[in-house]
Amino acid sequence: MRLKDEKKVWYIMPVLALLDLHNPAKVLSRLTRPIITPSEHYERHGYVNYVVFPTGTAIFDDQLYIYYGAADDKIAVASLNLNDLLTELKQNPHEDDSK
């Protein structure tokens, strides 16, 4: 999760990382931008404004579905193409692994 302070409003936005299968403490790559941002009205207004947080995932065919909470009082789902996501992750190696 990444916290962002804009005009004294805190945003919580999840980012995605690829971990080593045998050593999950080792980060192989990480996206440079959040996978979900509070952009819709229902994500920006609720019990806690400007909050989105993933709660679960599912893969169907080549789509990754991310179920997430929005504004602390709603549930939503977003989907990403899994192949595109893995390609983008491979293009963003973690700083410690790019040396």
Side-chain angles (χ1 to χ4, degrees):
M1 295 272 199
R2 181 180 296 171
L3 293 175
K4 184 176 181 182
D5 181 12
E6 287 185 7
K7 298 180 185 176
K8 302 293 180 186
V9 175
W10 285 95
Y11 294 74
I12 299 176
M13 300 176 290
V15 294
L16 193 71
L18 184 62
L19 307 178
D20 185 89
L21 180 62
H22 302 291
N23 179 9
K26 181 178 180 184
V27 177
L28 300 176
S29 61
R30 181 181 172 138
L31 293 183
T32 58
R33 58 186 169 73
I35 56 172
I36 304 170
T37 60
S39 57
E40 300 296 328
H41 184 270
Y42 63 87
E43 297 165 337
R44 294 179 286 128
H45 303 282
Y47 186 72
V48 177
N49 297 333
Y50 292 91
V51 173
V52 290
F53 53 94
T55 57
T57 61
I59 297 174
F60 298 105
D61 297 322
D62 63 347
Q63 290 294 115
L64 172 66
Y65 292 87
I66 304 167
Y67 299 88
Y68 66 98
D72 251 12
D73 63 1
K74 295 165 214 69
I75 299 171
V77 64
S79 66
L80 304 166
N81 180 282
L82 192 56
N83 295 319
D84 293 345
L85 181 60
L86 290 173
T87 297
E88 188 171 349
L89 276 167
K90 290 176 186 176
Q91 295 172 351
N92 291 289
H94 192 262
E95 296 86 29
D96 293 342
D97 294 333
S98 60
K99 295 178 184 176

